[in-house]
Amino acid sequence: MKREDIRYLKGIGPKRQKLLNRLGIYTVKDLLYYFPSRYEDRRNIRKIKELRENDVALVVAKVLARNLRPLKFRAPFRGGIKNTIFEVAVEDDTGVLMCVWFNQGYLNDYIKVGDDIVIYGKVRRYKKRLQMVSPEFDIIDKNDKSSSGVGKIVSFYRLTEGVTQKMIRGVIKFSLDNFARKIEDPLPYHIRESSNLPNIYYSLRNIHFPDSLDSVAISRRRFIFEELFFSQVLVYLRKAQYRLKRSIPFIDKDGFIPQFKKSLPFLLTSSQEQVIKEIVDDLTKPYPMHRLLQGDVGSGKTVVASFAIALAVINNCQVAFMVPTEVLVHQHVTTLRELFRGFGFRIKSLTSSLTRREKEKVYSDLSNSQIDIVVGTHALIEEEVGFSRLGLVVIDEQHKFGVAQRALLPKKAKDYIPHCLVMSATPIPRSLALSLYGDLDFSVIKELPPGRKQPKTIWVEEDKREWVYNFLREKLNEGRQAYIVYPVIDEANTSDLRSLTEMYEVTEKRLSGFKVGVFHGRMKSGEKKKVICEFRENKINVLISTTVIEVGVNIENATVMVVENPERFGLAQLHQLRGRIRRSVYEPYFILISKPNIGDNARRRLKIITKTTDGFKISEEDLKLRGPGDFFGSLQWGFPQLRIASPMKDLALLREARRVAYDLIKRDPFLREPYNRCIREHIDFWLRRR
Ligand code: ADP
Ligand code: MG
C-alpha cells in the first residue's frame, strides 16, 4: 500500500483531517499504527445490587436523574475557584447507583435523563451509600448499540481536543476493514517465523479490536518487537553509512601525544588512558568518529577531550566545543588554556552575551582560520557561525541540548563530516545505551582520579536547620567554602527569584561575619563572571545558587553543599550537584534539608541519594522511579521516539531484535535483497514518525 492520505477515507473531511494530523496521523498507515493506550474489559457487566466497596466494575444502566450544583467550599485564595459537583443517579434492573464528578460541569451537556450509559470505575462508600467518583462513561448510541463496546474488550486512544474515542475507533475500524489487508508486512516471513510473531493483519486487528486479552498480548509483543527491530536496523544502517562518509584523519605528528601527556600536572587514570586510546584510534580513520564518552561527575572528561582537541589542531583543523552554560564556557576556556600552555593554540569563546561587534570578530576569525578552538554555548549553532576547516565537534553535558541542537553543529563543516565526541555524566546501563544511542560508539571512564573523597551525605528535616548552620559555620571557620542550592525551578519566574533573594538576606544574617553571594541564570553575564571569580578566590565564602551550578562548575575549596527542598529535585540532578564538591583534599559534605511531609517517591529518591554514590546505580534507580519515557525523552539521539516499546521493560525482546537486526544488516548491508524490500520501505514510514 502506498502512502494513502487519510483525507480520502470515508467520513473524513478537512476538519477531521486537521484534528487527526494533530495526533501525528497523516496516512492510513499512520492511523493503523496509532495504537490504543489502554484497554477496558467490558465483557463482565456487573449488577448494581452486587457491587461492593472498592470493586472496580462495569455497569450498564439508565440515567434516572442528574443535578449540577455549586459546592460549598471556601477556596484558600482570593476570588476562590468555582467548584461544582455533578451528580447522576443511574439504575439497572437491580438497583440505583450514584455517580459524581467534580468541576466537570460541562458533563451536564452530555449526560441526559433517559440515556443508556456504560459506567466504569471504582466503587467507594460515601455517607453509607455506594458511589463512583469520576467514573469513565460512554453514552450508548440508541441507533448503534454495538458501539458501546459492551460485551467486548474496548480500546482507548490518546486524544486531542475535538476527537472522541468513538470517532477514532470508527475511522480505525473503517481503515482496518478496507485497507489492512493491503498493507505489506514490514517484517519478512523468515523473521516472523524465527521470532514467533503473528503477521501484520492479525496484529493490527487484535491490537485495535481484540478478541481476547491473549490476542492483545500477542499483537503487542509483535509491535514492540517491530519497533525495537526497526530502531536497531536504523542503528546498524547508520553505522554502515558513517563508514562511507569522509572526514579528516588526524595523525599524531612528531609524537605529540606522549609529549602532551608528560606536560599534564597529574597522571591519567588507567580508565582515562583507555578511553583516550579508543578516541585517538577513531580519529585516525578517514570516516567520522561518533562517540559518546560517559563518565561520572569529576571523572576527568575534559582532559580526555583535550587529547582529541589537540590532535585536531595539530592537524590544522578547527574545533567547536559546545557546552550548556556561559559559566562552563569560561571555565573550559581557562582549563584548555592551562592544559595547552606553550602549544600556541588560539582559543576563543562565543556566547550570546558578547556584543554584536565581538561576535562578528569571532565569526570572521573563525572563517579566516584565526581561531583553532572555539568554546561556546548555543551561540555556536547560530547561522552566522561558519568555519574554514572544522574537523572536530565536542559537546559537553549533551543531555542539556535538544536532539536538533546537537545535530546542527557538525553540519557547519564544509566538504567533509567532522569527528564528533559527546560527553555525558548521566550514565545509563550499557544494554540500554546501545539501543538508545544507537549509532554512537561508547567509551566509559570507570574510575575517579585518585584521592577523590565521596561526600558524606546527610539528610535532615527543617527542624534541624540550626544544627546545619552551626556545622556550616564550623566548616567556614576552618577555611572551607559552601554552596547553598535553592530549587528555583523556573528562573524566568520573578517570584521564584525573589524568594532566592529573600533566602540570601536571611542567610546573610544567619552567617554574619562571612561573605555571602548569590548566583542564578538570570544575572547579567558580567555579574556572573564576577561572582564566580570572587567565589573562586574565596572572597565570597558562601554561594547561594540555583541549579545552574549543577553543570560542571569546578571550585576545589567548596566542600560543603546544602540543598534546600531536595525533594523537588530529580535523582540525576542531585547526583550532579553532589559531584561539585568532591574535588578537594578535604572531607566533602552534602546536606539535604527537606520538608517533613514529602511524598513517597521523593522520600525514596532522598534515601537512594543518601545511601549510594555510584552514578550508574543512581541512574538505574532513577530509571525505575521515573519510568523510561521520561528518562529517555531527553536522551534520544536522532531516532524516532519509541511508542509502544519500553527498552527497560522489554529488555529481552530488545536483545532479540538487536540480534536479528545485526544478522540482517551483516548479510544485506544496504537492504538490496528483494526479500528485504519490505523492511526498506517501512523505514521511510518509521523515520517520518519523529
Ligand atoms: P568531569 O568529568 O566532571 O567533566 P573534569 O574534567 O571537570 O570532570 O575534571 C575534574 C577535575 O579533575 C579537574 O580539576 C581535572 O583537572 C581533574 N583531573 C582530571 N583527571 C585527573 C587525574 N587523572 N588525576 C587528578 N586529577 C584529575
Ligand atoms: Mg565536565
Side-chain angles (χ1 to χ4, degrees), residues 301-302 332 396-397 552:
K301 293 185 287 294
T302 318
H332 277 353
D396 196 9
E397 311 289 351

Side-chain angles (χ1 to χ4, degrees), residues 99-102 104 120-122 124 132-137:
C99 302
V100 300
W101 286 267
F102 295 100
Q104 296 185 57
Y120 180 85
K122 188 165 179 168
R124 297 167 201 272
M132 284 192 190
V133 180
S134 304
E136 310 262 350
F137 72 92

Side-chain angles (χ1 to χ4, degrees), residues 296-302 321 328 331-332 396-397 423 425 551-553 580 583:
D296 211 341
V297 194
S299 58
K301 293 185 287 294
T302 318
F321 193 158
L328 259 189
Q331 186 174 297
H332 277 353
D396 196 9
E397 311 289 351
M423 308 199 280
V551 213
V553 176
R580 299 298 117 229
R583 317 222 148 174

Side-chain angles (χ1 to χ4, degrees), residues 133-157:
V133 180
S134 304
E136 310 262 350
F137 72 92
D138 250 345
I139 308 291
I140 300 178
D141 189 336
K142 291 209 162 54
N143 304 314
D144 179 13
K145 296 230 172 191
S146 69
S147 72
S148 69
V150 171
K152 296 187 197 146
I153 298 166
V154 181
S155 19
F156 286 82
Y157 298 84

Side-chain angles (χ1 to χ4, degrees), residues 466-637:
E466 218 28 59
W467 174 87
V468 173
Y469 277 83
N470 285 337
F471 180 81
L472 250 181
R473 224 173 283 124
E474 198 178 296
K475 289 293 152 194
L476 294 172
N477 277 325
E478 288 169 14
R480 304 287 76 72
Q481 288 166 274
Y483 299 97
I484 300 180
V485 180
Y486 197 71
V488 175
I489 303 304
D490 176 11
E491 298 209 7
N493 182 333
T494 39
S495 83
D496 264 8
L497 281 181
R498 204 173 321 119
S499 53
L500 186 74
T501 318
E502 277 162 27
M503 177 85 192
Y504 164 69
E505 283 158 11
V506 173
T507 310
E508 209 175 25
K509 270 184 212 133
R510 276 219 177 95
L511 296 173
S512 60
F514 295 103
K515 179 90 171 71
V516 181
V518 182
F519 187 81
H520 60 77
R522 304 286 284 185
M523 281 162 46
K524 290 220 179 62
S525 157
E527 269 179 278
K528 278 190 202 163
K529 247 188 187 158
K530 179 161 169 279
V531 170
I532 288 290
C533 189
E534 286 180 358
F535 192 54
R536 191 162 271 142
E537 290 165 4
N538 203 357
K539 286 181 188 146
I540 289 175
N541 311 113
V542 178
L543 191 61
I544 298 190
S545 165
T546 62
T547 49
V548 289
I549 219 75
E550 157 197 350
V551 213
V553 176
N554 198 357
I555 289 166
E556 292 192 3
N557 192 43
T559 59
V560 185
M561 182 177 286
V562 177
V563 180
E564 292 280 350
N565 301 118
E567 65 275 11
R568 290 171 64 181
F569 293 113
L571 265 179
Q573 209 169 17
L574 288 170
H575 182 63
Q576 284 267 339
L577 283 169
R578 184 164 59 183
R580 299 298 117 229
I581 52 165
R582 53 180 188 200
R583 317 222 148 174
S584 133
V585 293
Y586 303 103
E587 193 80 49
Y589 295 90
F590 189 59
I591 306 175
L592 309 169
I593 308 184
S594 77
K595 292 238 159 27
N597 302 314
I598 59 176
D600 283 350
N601 216 316
R603 194 164 288 279
R604 273 221 291 287
R605 284 202 299 275
L606 297 186
K607 249 192 205 140
I608 292 162
I609 205 78
T610 318
K611 269 202 310 230
T612 140
T613 49
D614 177 339
F616 274 90
K617 255 199 206 122
I618 288 173
S619 299
E620 259 172 58
E621 296 291 341
D622 200 16
L623 245 162
K624 280 188 210 150
L625 284 176
R626 281 207 276 167
D630 205 14
F631 188 88
F632 293 124
S634 57
L635 297 178
Q636 288 279 348
W637 183 270

